[in-house]
Amino acid sequence: AQKVTQAQTEISVVEKEDVTLDCVYETRDTTYYLFWYKQPPSGELVFLIRRNSFDEQNEISGRYSWNFQKSTSSFNFTITASQVVDSAVYFCALRGGNTGKLIFGQGTTLQVKP
Amino acid sequence: DVKVTQSSRYLVKRTGEKVFLECVQDMDHENMFWYRQDPGLGLRLIYFSYDVKMKEKGDIPEGYSVSREKKERFSLILESASTNQTSMYLCASSTHPQGFEHEKLFFGSGTQLSVL
């Protein structure tokens, strides 16, 4: 069975702090894809990143960075120098190689205070 | 700009009513999905469709049905609404039916359904 766990329900930080959102996944597939989505207060989920299971290289995009470690089945997301506009619910998701089904974690609500 | 439009942002229905949630995408995407979002449970897949008139059950299809008569439109139907179907419903679409390697989902803004 496939499963995604985001153990942090809510995180509150002060602007300019760094924050890491944890994601742990379970799958028996050898080929799989991991995603992060952001859901701002408007409600529409926005795609942030996709990673396939063969590419463990970490990625940085501006203030965002992602750490993929197969050994610990984790795909963590770090926001550097957080801003108020980063306040949102963040979802980690997993898809097995042969299916279009995307399995989401429970979500982490991030509040960045000014 | 890509667009997934859900017909209602808020909806209030009574127990036993038949409810239709409509979703339209303007990107000519093959794949369409219905999720429900509940606090502490994340998003759970109800139904999805890879093509017109095709449908596949997701993880929680009980109490729901879907219709995909046209490529751009995917409807979620609650045959007899119940209070435990009060939730946020999210529609999504994606392309690349031949392989999912490069697929990403585009979401609508959601419909908050309250069943009284």
Side-chain angles (χ1 to χ4, degrees):
Chain A
Q2 297 185 329
K3 186 179 179 181
V4 176
T5 301
Q6 294 177 255
Q8 304 150 307
T9 304
E10 292 184 19
I11 301 176
S12 182
V13 299
V14 177
E15 205 168 21
K16 297 185 182 177
E17 283 186 33
D18 298 348
V19 58
T20 295
L21 309 182
D22 297 332
C23 174
V24 174
Y25 63 92
E26 296 175 28
T27 182
R28 293 181 181 173
D29 291 332
T30 52
T31 301
Y32 53 90
Y33 307 89
L34 295 163
F35 301 77
W36 276 95
Y37 281 83
K38 174 183 179 180
Q39 185 181 38
S42 62
E44 184 176 324
L45 274 82
V46 177
F47 168 86
L48 294 178
I49 190 173
R50 172 187 52 242
R51 255 298 174 255
N52 71 53
S53 51
F54 298 108
D55 183 3
E56 286 193 73
Q57 192 171 23
N58 291 327
E59 182 160 338
I60 297 174
S61 177
R63 295 184 297 106
Y64 295 172
S65 62
W66 290 270
N67 185 333
F68 176 30
Q69 293 200 350
K70 287 178 78 170
S71 60
T72 56
S73 297
S74 64
F75 186 44
N76 297 337
F77 173 31
T78 297
I79 301 174
T80 303
S82 60
Q83 299 176 2
V84 172
V85 293
D86 295 326
S87 297
V89 182
Y90 291 86
F91 289 97
C92 181
L94 163 72
R95 183 173 64 231
N98 295 319
T99 175
K101 290 171 55 173
L102 202 58
I103 306 299
F104 284 84
Q106 302 90 326
T108 297
T109 300
L110 173 65
Q111 184 181 31
V112 181
K113 299 177 181 177
Chain B
D1 218 9
V2 296
K3 195 82 175 169
V4 178
T5 303
Q6 294 184 230
S7 53
S8 304
R9 187 74 174 99
Y10 299 96
L11 208 55
V12 180
K13 296 292 181 180
R14 296 205 174 275
T15 303
E17 278 193 72
K18 189 169 186 175
V19 181
F20 293 86
L21 302 184
E22 305 289 346
C23 175
V24 177
Q25 49 96 0
D26 64 1
M27 297 164 282
D28 202 35
H29 282 173
E30 291 80 9
N31 310 323
M32 296 188 75
F33 306 80
W34 275 107
Y35 287 87
R36 63 176 282 176
Q37 180 180 2
D38 300 287
L41 297 177
L43 277 70
R44 293 179 292 166
L45 182 62
I46 304 171
Y47 268 97
F48 59 108
S49 168
Y50 292 136
D51 202 350
V52 176
K53 296 193 186 295
M54 291 183 62
K55 60 184 179 183
E56 299 266 355
K57 292 181 179 179
D59 298 315
I60 51 165
E62 296 78 18
Y64 303 95
S65 62
V66 290
S67 171
R68 185 127 183 240
E69 295 297 319
K70 293 185 178 180
K71 190 176 185 180
E72 67 271 18
R73 187 180 296 270
F74 191 36
S75 303
L76 180 69
I77 304 158
L78 287 65
E79 296 290 342
S80 178
S82 63
T83 54
N84 62 13
Q85 292 179 309
T86 291
S87 185
M88 170 69 81
Y89 290 87
L90 293 166
C91 176
S93 72
S94 71
T95 189
H96 298 287
Q98 302 305 323
F100 301 104
E101 291 83 4
H102 302 289
E103 181 186 13
K104 67 179 185 182
L105 297 183
F106 294 87
F107 282 85
S109 297
T111 296
Q112 179 63 52
L113 173 67
S114 297
V115 182
L116 306 178

